[in-house]
Coordinates of all heavy atoms in Angstrom, one line a residue:
V1 N 37.8 -108.8 -6.3 CA 36.4 -109.0 -6.6 C 36.3 -110.2 -7.5 O 37.0 -110.4 -8.4 CB 35.9 -107.7 -7.4 CG1 34.5 -107.9 -7.9 CG2 36.1 -106.5 -6.6
D2 N 35.3 -111.1 -7.1 CA 34.9 -112.2 -7.9 C 33.9 -111.8 -8.9 O 32.7 -111.8 -8.7 CB 34.4 -113.3 -7.0 CG 34.1 -114.6 -7.8 OD1 34.1 -114.6 -9.0 OD2 33.8 -115.6 -7.1
L3 N 34.4 -111.4 -10.1 CA 33.6 -110.7 -11.1 C 32.5 -111.6 -11.6 O 31.3 -111.2 -11.7 CB 34.5 -110.2 -12.2 CG 33.9 -109.0 -13.0 CD1 33.3 -107.9 -12.1 CD2 35.0 -108.5 -13.9
P4 N 32.8 -112.9 -12.0 CA 31.7 -113.7 -12.5 C 30.6 -113.9 -11.4 O 29.4 -113.9 -11.8 CB 32.4 -115.1 -12.8 CG 33.8 -114.7 -13.1 CD 34.1 -113.5 -12.1
A5 N 31.0 -114.0 -10.2 CA 30.0 -114.2 -9.1 C 29.2 -112.9 -9.0 O 27.9 -113.0 -8.8 CB 30.7 -114.5 -7.8
A6 N 29.8 -111.8 -9.1 CA 29.1 -110.5 -9.0 C 28.1 -110.3 -10.1 O 26.9 -109.9 -9.9 CB 30.1 -109.3 -9.0
V7 N 28.5 -110.7 -11.3 CA 27.6 -110.6 -12.5 C 26.4 -111.6 -12.3 O 25.3 -111.2 -12.5 CB 28.4 -110.9 -13.8 CG1 27.4 -111.0 -15.0 CG2 29.4 -109.8 -14.1
H8 N 26.7 -112.8 -11.9 CA 25.7 -113.8 -11.7 C 24.7 -113.3 -10.6 O 23.5 -113.5 -10.7 CB 26.3 -115.1 -11.3 CG 25.3 -116.3 -11.2 ND1 24.7 -116.6 -10.0 CD2 24.8 -117.0 -12.2 CE1 23.9 -117.6 -10.3 NE2 23.9 -117.9 -11.5
A9 N 25.3 -112.8 -9.5 CA 24.4 -112.4 -8.4 C 23.5 -111.2 -8.8 O 22.3 -111.2 -8.5 CB 25.3 -111.9 -7.2
A10 N 24.0 -110.3 -9.6 CA 23.2 -109.2 -10.1 C 22.1 -109.7 -11.0 O 21.0 -109.3 -10.9 CB 24.1 -108.1 -10.8
A11 N 22.5 -110.6 -11.9 CA 21.5 -111.1 -12.9 C 20.4 -111.9 -12.1 O 19.3 -111.8 -12.5 CB 22.2 -112.0 -13.9
S12 N 20.8 -112.6 -11.1 CA 19.8 -113.4 -10.4 C 18.8 -112.5 -9.6 O 17.7 -113.0 -9.2 CB 20.5 -114.4 -9.4 OG 21.0 -113.7 -8.3
L13 N 19.1 -111.3 -9.5 CA 18.1 -110.3 -8.8 C 17.1 -109.7 -9.7 O 16.2 -109.0 -9.3 CB 18.9 -109.2 -8.1 CG 19.7 -109.6 -6.8 CD1 20.6 -108.4 -6.4 CD2 18.8 -110.0 -5.7
A14 N 17.2 -110.0 -11.0 CA 16.4 -109.4 -12.0 C 14.9 -109.6 -11.6 O 14.5 -110.6 -11.2 CB 16.6 -110.1 -13.4
G15 N 14.2 -108.5 -11.7 CA 12.8 -108.5 -11.4 C 12.5 -108.2 -9.9 O 11.3 -108.3 -9.5
Q16 N 13.5 -107.9 -9.1 CA 13.3 -107.7 -7.7 C 13.4 -106.3 -7.3 O 13.8 -106.0 -6.1 CB 14.3 -108.6 -6.9 CG 14.0 -110.1 -7.0 CD 15.0 -110.9 -6.1 OE1 15.4 -110.5 -5.1 NE2 15.4 -112.1 -6.6
G17 N 13.2 -105.4 -8.2 CA 13.0 -104.0 -7.9 C 14.3 -103.3 -7.5 O 15.4 -103.5 -8.1
G18 N 14.3 -102.4 -6.5 CA 15.4 -101.5 -6.1 C 16.7 -102.1 -6.0 O 17.7 -101.6 -6.4
R19 N 16.8 -103.2 -5.3 CA 18.1 -103.9 -5.0 C 18.7 -104.4 -6.3 O 19.9 -104.3 -6.5 CB 17.9 -105.0 -4.0 CG 19.2 -105.7 -3.7 CD 19.4 -106.4 -2.4 NE 20.6 -107.1 -2.4 CZ 20.8 -108.4 -2.2 NH1 19.8 -109.1 -1.9 NH2 22.0 -108.9 -2.3
A20 N 17.8 -104.9 -7.2 CA 18.3 -105.4 -8.5 C 18.9 -104.2 -9.3 O 20.0 -104.4 -9.8 CB 17.2 -106.1 -9.3
V21 N 18.2 -103.1 -9.3 CA 18.7 -102.0 -10.1 C 20.1 -101.5 -9.5 O 21.0 -101.2 -10.3 CB 17.7 -100.8 -10.1 CG1 18.3 -99.6 -10.7 CG2 16.4 -101.2 -10.8
R22 N 20.2 -101.5 -8.2 CA 21.4 -101.0 -7.6 C 22.6 -102.0 -7.9 O 23.6 -101.5 -8.4 CB 21.2 -101.0 -6.0 CG 22.4 -100.4 -5.3 CD 22.4 -100.8 -3.8 NE 22.6 -102.2 -3.6 CZ 22.6 -102.8 -2.5 NH1 22.3 -102.1 -1.4 NH2 22.8 -104.1 -2.4
D23 N 22.3 -103.3 -7.8 CA 23.4 -104.2 -8.0 C 23.8 -104.4 -9.5 O 25.0 -104.5 -9.8 CB 23.0 -105.6 -7.5 CG 23.1 -105.7 -5.9 OD1 23.0 -104.6 -5.3 OD2 23.3 -106.8 -5.4
V24 N 22.8 -104.3 -10.4 CA 23.0 -104.4 -11.8 C 23.8 -103.1 -12.2 O 24.8 -103.2 -13.0 CB 21.7 -104.6 -12.6 CG1 22.0 -104.4 -14.1 CG2 21.1 -106.0 -12.3
S25 N 23.4 -102.0 -11.7 CA 24.0 -100.7 -12.1 C 25.5 -100.7 -11.6 O 26.4 -100.3 -12.4 CB 23.3 -99.5 -11.5 OG 22.0 -99.5 -12.0
M26 N 25.7 -101.2 -10.4 CA 27.0 -101.3 -9.8 C 27.9 -102.2 -10.7 O 29.1 -101.9 -11.0 CB 26.9 -101.9 -8.4 CG 28.1 -101.5 -7.5 SD 27.8 -102.3 -5.9 CE 26.4 -101.4 -5.2
T27 N 27.4 -103.3 -11.0 CA 28.2 -104.3 -11.8 C 28.4 -103.8 -13.2 O 29.6 -103.9 -13.7 CB 27.4 -105.7 -11.9 OG1 27.0 -106.1 -10.6 CG2 28.2 -106.7 -12.6
K28 N 27.4 -103.1 -13.8 CA 27.6 -102.6 -15.2 C 28.7 -101.5 -15.1 O 29.6 -101.5 -16.0 CB 26.3 -102.0 -15.6 CG 26.1 -102.0 -17.1 CD 26.6 -100.7 -17.7 CE 26.4 -100.6 -19.2 NZ 27.1 -99.4 -19.7
A29 N 28.6 -100.6 -14.1 CA 29.6 -99.6 -14.1 C 31.0 -100.2 -13.9 O 32.0 -99.7 -14.5 CB 29.3 -98.6 -12.9
F30 N 31.2 -101.1 -13.0 CA 32.5 -101.7 -12.7 C 33.0 -102.4 -13.9 O 34.2 -102.2 -14.3 CB 32.3 -102.7 -11.5 CG 33.6 -103.3 -11.1 CD1 34.4 -102.6 -10.2 CD2 34.1 -104.5 -11.5 CE1 35.7 -103.1 -9.8 CE2 35.3 -105.0 -11.1 CZ 36.1 -104.3 -10.2
C31 N 32.2 -103.2 -14.6 CA 32.7 -104.0 -15.7 C 33.1 -103.1 -16.9 O 34.1 -103.3 -17.6 CB 31.6 -105.0 -16.2 SG 31.4 -106.3 -15.0
G32 N 32.3 -102.0 -17.1 CA 32.5 -101.1 -18.2 C 33.9 -100.4 -18.0 O 34.6 -100.2 -19.0
E33 N 34.2 -100.0 -16.8 CA 35.4 -99.3 -16.5 C 36.6 -100.3 -16.5 O 37.7 -100.0 -17.0 CB 35.3 -98.6 -15.1 CG 34.3 -97.5 -15.1 CD 34.6 -96.4 -16.1 OE1 35.8 -95.9 -16.3 OE2 33.7 -96.0 -16.8
L34 N 36.4 -101.5 -16.0 CA 37.4 -102.5 -15.9 C 37.9 -102.9 -17.3 O 39.1 -102.9 -17.5 CB 36.9 -103.7 -15.2 CG 37.9 -104.9 -15.1 CD1 39.1 -104.5 -14.2 CD2 37.3 -106.1 -14.5
V35 N 37.0 -103.2 -18.2 CA 37.4 -103.6 -19.5 C 38.2 -102.5 -20.3 O 39.1 -102.7 -21.0 CB 36.2 -104.1 -20.3 CG1 35.3 -103.0 -20.8 CG2 36.7 -105.0 -21.5
N36 N 37.8 -101.2 -20.0 CA 38.5 -100.1 -20.6 C 39.9 -100.0 -20.0 O 40.9 -99.7 -20.7 CB 37.7 -98.8 -20.4 CG 36.7 -98.6 -21.5 OD1 37.1 -98.3 -22.7 ND2 35.4 -98.9 -21.3
N37 N 40.0 -100.2 -18.7 CA 41.3 -100.1 -18.1 C 42.3 -101.2 -18.6 O 43.4 -101.0 -18.8 CB 41.2 -100.2 -16.5 CG 40.6 -99.0 -15.9 OD1 40.5 -98.0 -16.5 ND2 40.1 -99.1 -14.7
V38 N 41.7 -102.4 -18.7 CA 42.5 -103.5 -19.2 C 43.0 -103.2 -20.6 O 44.2 -103.4 -21.0 CB 41.6 -104.8 -19.2 CG1 42.3 -106.0 -20.0 CG2 41.4 -105.3 -17.8
M39 N 42.1 -102.8 -21.5 CA 42.5 -102.5 -22.9 C 43.4 -101.3 -23.0 O 44.3 -101.3 -23.9 CB 41.2 -102.3 -23.8 CG 40.4 -103.6 -24.1 SD 41.5 -105.0 -24.5 CE 42.4 -104.5 -25.8
Y40 N 43.3 -100.3 -22.1 CA 44.2 -99.2 -22.1 C 45.6 -99.8 -21.8 O 46.6 -99.4 -22.5 CB 43.8 -98.2 -21.0 CG 44.7 -97.0 -20.9 CD1 44.4 -95.8 -21.6 CD2 45.9 -97.0 -20.2 CE1 45.2 -94.7 -21.5 CE2 46.7 -95.9 -20.1 CZ 46.3 -94.8 -20.7 OH 47.2 -93.7 -20.6
D41 N 45.7 -100.6 -20.8 CA 47.1 -101.2 -20.5 C 47.6 -102.1 -21.6 O 48.8 -102.1 -21.9 CB 47.0 -102.0 -19.2 CG 46.8 -101.1 -18.0 OD1 47.0 -99.8 -18.1 OD2 46.5 -101.6 -16.9
C42 N 46.7 -102.9 -22.3 CA 47.1 -103.7 -23.4 C 47.7 -102.9 -24.5 O 48.7 -103.2 -25.1 CB 45.9 -104.6 -23.9 SG 45.4 -105.9 -22.8
L43 N 47.0 -101.8 -24.8 CA 47.5 -101.0 -25.9 C 48.9 -100.4 -25.5 O 49.8 -100.3 -26.3 CB 46.5 -99.9 -26.3 CG 46.7 -99.1 -27.6 CD1 45.4 -98.6 -28.1 CD2 47.7 -98.0 -27.4
Q44 N 49.0 -99.9 -24.3 CA 50.2 -99.3 -23.8 C 51.3 -100.4 -23.9 O 52.5 -100.0 -24.3 CB 50.0 -98.9 -22.3 CG 51.2 -98.0 -21.8 CD 51.3 -96.6 -22.4 OE1 50.3 -96.2 -23.0 NE2 52.4 -96.0 -22.3
F45 N 51.0 -101.6 -23.5 CA 52.0 -102.7 -23.6 C 52.5 -102.9 -25.0 O 53.7 -103.2 -25.2 CB 51.4 -103.9 -23.0 CG 52.3 -105.1 -23.0 CD1 53.3 -105.3 -22.1 CD2 52.1 -106.1 -24.0 CE1 54.1 -106.4 -22.1 CE2 52.9 -107.2 -24.0 CZ 53.9 -107.4 -23.1
H46 N 51.6 -102.8 -26.0 CA 52.0 -103.0 -27.4 C 52.7 -101.8 -28.0 O 53.1 -101.8 -29.2 CB 50.8 -103.4 -28.2 CG 50.4 -104.8 -28.0 ND1 49.7 -105.3 -26.9 CD2 50.7 -106.0 -28.7 CE1 49.6 -106.6 -27.0 NE2 50.1 -107.0 -28.1
G47 N 52.7 -100.7 -27.3 CA 53.4 -99.5 -27.8 C 52.8 -99.0 -29.0 O 51.5 -99.1 -29.2
G48 N 53.6 -98.4 -29.9 CA 53.1 -97.8 -31.2 C 52.3 -98.8 -32.0 O 51.3 -98.4 -32.7
T49 N 52.7 -100.1 -32.0 CA 52.0 -101.1 -32.8 C 50.5 -101.2 -32.4 O 49.6 -101.3 -33.2 CB 52.6 -102.5 -32.6 OG1 54.0 -102.4 -32.8 CG2 52.0 -103.5 -33.5
G50 N 50.2 -101.1 -31.1 CA 48.9 -101.2 -30.6 C 48.0 -100.0 -31.1 O 46.7 -100.1 -31.1
F51 N 48.6 -99.0 -31.5 CA 47.9 -97.8 -32.0 C 47.5 -97.8 -33.5 O 46.7 -97.1 -34.0 CB 48.8 -96.5 -31.7 CG 48.1 -95.2 -31.9 CD1 47.1 -94.8 -31.1 CD2 48.5 -94.4 -33.0 CE1 46.5 -93.5 -31.3 CE2 47.9 -93.2 -33.2 CZ 46.9 -92.7 -32.3
V52 N 48.1 -98.8 -34.2 CA 47.9 -98.8 -35.7 C 46.5 -99.3 -36.0 O 46.1 -100.4 -35.5 CB 49.0 -99.8 -36.3 CG1 48.7 -99.9 -37.8 CG2 50.4 -99.3 -36.1
R53 N 45.8 -98.5 -36.8 CA 44.4 -98.8 -37.1 C 44.3 -100.2 -37.8 O 45.1 -100.5 -38.7 CB 43.8 -97.8 -38.0 CG 42.3 -98.0 -38.2 CD 41.7 -96.7 -38.8 NE 41.6 -95.7 -37.8 CZ 41.2 -94.4 -38.0 NH1 40.8 -94.1 -39.2 NH2 41.2 -93.5 -37.0
G54 N 43.4 -101.0 -37.3 CA 43.2 -102.3 -37.9 C 43.8 -103.5 -37.1 O 43.4 -104.6 -37.2
I55 N 44.9 -103.1 -36.3 CA 45.5 -104.1 -35.5 C 44.5 -104.5 -34.4 O 43.7 -103.7 -33.9 CB 46.8 -103.5 -34.8 CG1 47.8 -103.1 -35.9 CG2 47.4 -104.4 -33.8 CD1 48.6 -104.3 -36.5
A56 N 44.5 -105.8 -34.0 CA 43.5 -106.3 -33.1 C 43.5 -105.5 -31.8 O 42.4 -105.2 -31.3 CB 43.8 -107.8 -32.7
I57 N 44.6 -105.1 -31.2 CA 44.6 -104.4 -30.0 C 43.9 -103.0 -30.1 O 43.1 -102.6 -29.3 CB 46.0 -104.2 -29.4 CG1 46.6 -105.5 -29.0 CG2 46.1 -103.2 -28.2 CD1 45.9 -106.2 -27.8
E58 N 44.2 -102.3 -31.3 CA 43.6 -101.0 -31.5 C 42.1 -101.2 -31.6 O 41.3 -100.4 -31.1 CB 44.2 -100.5 -32.8 CG 43.6 -99.1 -33.2 CD 42.3 -99.1 -34.0 OE1 42.1 -100.1 -34.7 OE2 41.5 -98.2 -33.9
R59 N 41.7 -102.2 -32.4 CA 40.2 -102.4 -32.6 C 39.5 -102.7 -31.3 O 38.5 -102.2 -31.0 CB 40.0 -103.5 -33.6 CG 38.5 -103.7 -34.0 CD 38.4 -104.8 -35.1 NE 39.0 -106.0 -34.8 CZ 38.6 -107.0 -34.0 NH1 37.5 -106.8 -33.3 NH2 39.3 -108.1 -33.8
M60 N 40.1 -103.6 -30.5 CA 39.5 -104.0 -29.2 C 39.4 -102.8 -28.3 O 38.4 -102.6 -27.6 CB 40.3 -105.2 -28.6 CG 40.1 -106.5 -29.4 SD 41.4 -107.7 -29.0 CE 40.9 -108.2 -27.3
T61 N 40.5 -102.0 -28.2 CA 40.5 -100.8 -27.3 C 39.4 -99.9 -27.7 O 38.7 -99.3 -26.9 CB 41.9 -100.1 -27.4 OG1 42.9 -101.1 -27.1 CG2 42.0 -99.0 -26.4
R62 N 39.2 -99.7 -29.1 CA 38.2 -98.8 -29.6 C 36.8 -99.3 -29.3 O 35.9 -98.6 -28.8 CB 38.4 -98.5 -31.1 CG 37.4 -97.6 -31.7 CD 38.0 -97.2 -33.1 NE 38.7 -98.2 -33.8 CZ 38.2 -99.1 -34.6 NH1 36.9 -99.2 -34.7 NH2 38.9 -100.0 -35.2
V63 N 36.6 -100.6 -29.6 CA 35.3 -101.2 -29.4 C 34.8 -101.3 -28.0 O 33.6 -101.1 -27.7 CB 35.3 -102.6 -30.1 CG1 34.0 -103.4 -29.8 CG2 35.4 -102.4 -31.6
V64 N 35.7 -101.6 -27.1 CA 35.3 -101.7 -25.7 C 34.9 -100.4 -25.1 O 34.2 -100.3 -24.0 CB 36.3 -102.4 -24.7 CG1 36.6 -103.8 -25.2 CG2 37.5 -101.5 -24.5
R65 N 35.3 -99.3 -25.7 CA 34.9 -97.9 -25.2 C 33.4 -97.8 -25.0 O 33.0 -97.1 -24.1 CB 35.5 -96.9 -26.2 CG 35.5 -95.5 -25.6 CD 36.6 -95.4 -24.5 NE 36.5 -94.1 -23.8 CZ 35.6 -93.8 -22.9 NH1 34.7 -94.7 -22.5 NH2 35.6 -92.7 -22.3
V66 N 32.6 -98.5 -25.8 CA 31.2 -98.3 -25.7 C 30.6 -99.0 -24.5 O 29.5 -98.7 -24.1 CB 30.5 -98.8 -27.0 CG1 30.4 -100.3 -27.0 CG2 29.1 -98.2 -27.2
Q67 N 31.4 -99.9 -23.9 CA 30.9 -100.6 -22.7 C 30.6 -99.7 -21.5 O 29.8 -100.0 -20.7 CB 31.9 -101.7 -22.3 CG 32.1 -102.8 -23.3 CD 30.8 -103.5 -23.7 OE1 29.9 -103.7 -22.8 NE2 30.7 -104.0 -24.9
S68 N 31.3 -98.5 -21.5 CA 31.1 -97.6 -20.4 C 30.2 -96.5 -20.8 O 30.0 -95.5 -20.1 CB 32.4 -97.0 -19.9 OG 33.1 -96.4 -20.9
I69 N 29.6 -96.6 -22.0 CA 28.6 -95.6 -22.5 C 27.3 -96.2 -22.9 O 26.3 -95.8 -22.4 CB 29.2 -94.9 -23.8 CG1 30.5 -94.2 -23.5 CG2 28.2 -93.9 -24.4 CD1 31.3 -93.7 -24.7
G70 N 27.3 -97.2 -23.7 CA 26.1 -97.8 -24.2 C 25.3 -98.5 -23.1 O 25.9 -99.0 -22.1
G71 N 24.0 -98.4 -23.2 CA 23.1 -99.1 -22.2 C 23.1 -98.3 -20.9 O 22.7 -98.9 -19.8
G72 N 23.6 -97.1 -20.9 CA 23.7 -96.3 -19.7 C 25.2 -96.0 -19.3 O 25.9 -97.0 -19.0
A73 N 25.6 -94.8 -19.4 CA 27.0 -94.4 -19.1 C 27.3 -94.7 -17.7 O 26.4 -94.7 -16.8 CB 27.2 -92.9 -19.5
T74 N 28.6 -94.9 -17.4 CA 29.0 -95.2 -16.0 C 28.5 -94.1 -15.1 O 28.0 -94.5 -14.0 CB 30.6 -95.2 -16.0 OG1 31.0 -96.3 -16.8 CG2 31.1 -95.4 -14.6
E75 N 28.5 -92.8 -15.4 CA 28.1 -91.8 -14.5 C 26.6 -92.0 -14.2 O 26.2 -91.8 -13.0 CB 28.3 -90.4 -15.2 CG 29.7 -90.0 -15.4 CD 30.4 -90.6 -16.6 OE1 29.8 -91.3 -17.3 OE2 31.6 -90.3 -16.8
V76 N 25.8 -92.4 -15.1 CA 24.4 -92.6 -14.9 C 24.2 -93.8 -14.0 O 23.4 -93.8 -13.1 CB 23.7 -92.7 -16.2 CG1 22.2 -93.0 -16.0 CG2 23.8 -91.5 -17.1
M77 N 25.0 -94.9 -14.3 CA 24.9 -96.1 -13.4 C 25.2 -95.7 -12.0 O 24.5 -96.2 -11.1 CB 25.9 -97.2 -13.9 CG 25.6 -97.7 -15.3 SD 24.0 -98.7 -15.4 CE 22.9 -97.5 -16.1
L78 N 26.3 -94.9 -11.8 CA 26.7 -94.6 -10.4 C 25.6 -93.7 -9.7 O 25.4 -93.8 -8.5 CB 28.0 -93.9 -10.4 CG 29.2 -94.8 -10.9 CD1 30.5 -94.0 -10.9 CD2 29.3 -96.0 -10.0
Q79 N 24.9 -92.9 -10.5 CA 23.8 -92.2 -9.9 C 22.7 -93.1 -9.5 O 22.1 -92.9 -8.4 CB 23.3 -91.1 -10.9 CG 24.2 -89.9 -11.0 CD 23.6 -88.8 -11.9 OE1 22.6 -89.1 -12.6 NE2 24.3 -87.7 -12.0
E80 N 22.4 -94.1 -10.3 CA 21.4 -95.1 -9.9 C 21.7 -95.8 -8.6 O 20.9 -96.1 -7.7 CB 21.1 -96.1 -11.0 CG 20.6 -95.5 -12.3 CD 19.2 -94.7 -12.0 OE1 18.4 -95.2 -11.3 OE2 19.1 -93.6 -12.6
V81 N 23.0 -96.1 -8.5 CA 23.5 -96.8 -7.2 C 23.4 -95.8 -6.1 O 22.8 -96.2 -5.0 CB 25.0 -97.2 -7.4 CG1 25.6 -97.7 -6.1 CG2 25.2 -98.2 -8.5
A82 N 23.8 -94.6 -6.2 CA 23.8 -93.6 -5.1 C 22.3 -93.4 -4.6 O 22.1 -93.2 -3.4 CB 24.4 -92.3 -5.6
K83 N 21.4 -93.4 -5.5 CA 20.0 -93.2 -5.1 C 19.5 -94.3 -4.3 O 18.5 -94.1 -3.5 CB 19.1 -93.2 -6.4 CG 19.0 -91.9 -7.1 CD 18.0 -92.0 -8.2 CE 18.5 -91.4 -9.6 NZ 17.7 -91.9 -10.7
R84 N 20.1 -95.5 -4.3 CA 19.6 -96.7 -3.6 C 20.5 -97.1 -2.5 O 20.3 -98.2 -2.0 CB 19.4 -97.8 -4.6 CG 18.3 -97.5 -5.7 CD 18.3 -98.5 -6.8 NE 17.2 -98.2 -7.7 CZ 17.1 -97.3 -8.6 NH1 18.2 -96.5 -8.8 NH2 16.1 -97.1 -9.3
M85 N 21.4 -96.3 -2.1 CA 22.3 -96.6 -0.9 C 21.6 -96.3 0.4 O 20.8 -95.4 0.5 CB 23.6 -95.9 -1.0 CG 24.5 -96.4 -2.2 SD 24.8 -98.2 -2.3 CE 26.2 -98.3 -1.3
Ligands
FAD101 C1 26.8 -98.9 -30.8 C2 25.6 -98.4 -30.0 C3 24.5 -99.2 -30.0 C4 23.3 -98.8 -29.3 N1 22.3 -99.7 -29.3 C5 21.2 -99.3 -28.6 C6 20.0 -100.1 -28.7 O1 20.0 -101.2 -29.3 N2 18.9 -99.8 -28.0 C7 18.9 -98.6 -27.3 O2 17.8 -98.3 -26.6 N3 20.0 -97.8 -27.2 C8 21.1 -98.1 -27.9 N4 22.2 -97.3 -27.9 C9 22.1 -96.0 -27.1 C10 22.8 -96.1 -25.8 O3 22.0 -96.8 -24.8 C11 23.1 -94.7 -25.3 O4 24.2 -94.2 -26.2 C12 23.5 -94.6 -23.9 O5 22.5 -94.8 -23.0 C13 24.2 -93.3 -23.5 O6 23.3 -92.2 -23.9 P1 23.8 -91.0 -24.9 O7 24.6 -91.6 -26.0 O8 22.7 -90.2 -25.1 O9 24.9 -90.3 -24.0 P2 24.6 -89.2 -22.9 O10 23.5 -89.6 -22.0 O11 24.5 -87.9 -23.7 O12 25.9 -89.2 -22.1 C14 27.2 -88.7 -22.7 C15 28.1 -88.5 -21.5 O13 27.6 -87.5 -20.7 C16 27.9 -87.8 -19.3 N5 26.6 -87.9 -18.6 C17 25.4 -88.1 -19.1 N6 24.5 -88.1 -18.1 C18 25.2 -87.8 -17.0 C19 24.8 -87.6 -15.6 N7 23.5 -87.7 -15.2 N8 25.7 -87.3 -14.7 C20 27.0 -87.2 -15.1 N9 27.5 -87.4 -16.4 C21 26.5 -87.7 -17.3 C22 28.6 -89.1 -19.3 O14 30.0 -88.9 -19.3 C23 28.2 -89.7 -20.6 O15 29.2 -90.7 -21.0 C24 23.3 -97.6 -28.5 C25 24.5 -96.9 -28.5 C26 25.6 -97.2 -29.2 C27 26.8 -96.3 -29.2

């Protein structure tokens, strides 16, 4: 997946109704899950050190968690996509 292109394409549809909502929701769901998967693997790679509170990896893993919740949880985004398929 060409992620920057997908984000750009979704953003360029802003104001175009149903298709924009579908593509933006799809992109938001994908990015929110992707960044969490990446940080999960980063923490795993760092082992116990990655788990120590205050360490950059721990903070980043915790902070990205909101990306799949805030502004519409992934489940809600996927429902918006499903309604428009
Ligand atoms: C740090 C932070 C900043 C925020 N800033 C803003 C802001 O500036 N402006 C603003 O308007 N809002 C803001 N919010 C609110 C944010 O938009 C909501 O937290 C978000 O939309 C999720 O809603 P909720 O927290 O009520 O979770 P809920 O809707 O209660 O969802 C909780 C969980 O339930 C599940 N779920 C919910 N609905 C469904 C469904 N239909 N199908 C299946 N599963 C489902 C999902 O697993 C979901 O993750 C902020 C939130 C945070 C954490």
Side-chain angles (χ1 to χ4, degrees):
V1 177
D2 183 348
L3 206 47
V7 172
H8 186 267
S12 70
L13 288 170
Q16 291 183 36
R19 182 156 172 234
V21 174
R22 186 196 68 183
D23 284 24
V24 168
S25 301
M26 202 182 292
T27 307
K28 205 272 180 187
F30 186 82
C31 291
E33 294 301 313
L34 178 66
V35 73
N36 274 286
N37 290 343
V38 168
M39 288 316 305
Y40 181 95
D41 287 348
C42 286
L43 194 153
Q44 189 73 17
F45 179 78
H46 282 78
T49 307
F51 188 70
V52 175
R53 186 165 290 174
I55 297 285
I57 293 295
E58 180 275 334
R59 183 174 53 78
M60 290 162 72
T61 306
R62 179 163 39 83
V63 168
V64 299
R65 196 65 190 81
V66 79
Q67 298 297 329
S68 58
I69 298 170
T74 295
E75 291 81 1
V76 176
M77 294 295 99
L78 294 179
Q79 282 182 354
E80 295 302 319
V81 173
K83 277 187 226 165
R84 293 169 175 81
M85 295 305 273

